[in-house]
Amino acid sequence: MEISASDRELITVMRQYFAAKSELEGLKEHLEASRQAAGEAIGVFYDPRQNVEHAADLQRSHRLKGEMASLTKR
């Protein structure tokens, strides 16, 4: 059975999508556990301007969401 170039591309895109999704889910779990442990309000904790400690992770989660949206369009 031969796999076409478009099928190979779809497989590659789907692998990237699910890798990003898995990373995002792990990141969300980590962030939420940190928020609960700190007892912070959602609006304060998830604002990277107010939460410098987790700002890189918050920005990474936004980038992953954007990456997933871009991959879905492909």
Side-chain angles (χ1 to χ4, degrees):
M1 179 175 179
E2 300 241 353
I3 298 177
S4 70
S6 63
D7 287 344
R8 283 192 295 275
E9 182 181 355
L10 176 61
I11 290 168
T12 299
V13 168
M14 293 307 295
R15 283 183 179 155
Q16 292 170 339
Y17 176 87
F18 287 113
K21 183 178 179 181
S22 176
E23 184 177 349
L24 179 60
E25 288 172 355
L27 191 54
K28 286 167 76 174
E29 288 175 8
H30 167 72
L31 286 168
E32 185 57 20
S34 296
R35 183 191 73 79
Q36 290 179 2
E40 290 283 341
I42 291 172
V44 173
F45 185 87
Y46 286 102
D47 182 350
R49 295 168 295 186
Q50 296 185 49
N51 187 350
V52 177
E53 181 180 347
H54 292 97
D57 286 339
L58 294 167
Q59 291 172 340
R60 177 74 182 141
S61 71
H62 289 292
R63 282 193 301 274
L64 286 167
K65 289 175 187 176
E67 182 180 335
M68 289 171 61
S70 174
L71 290 166
T72 300
K73 289 178 185 178
R74 286 179 66 191

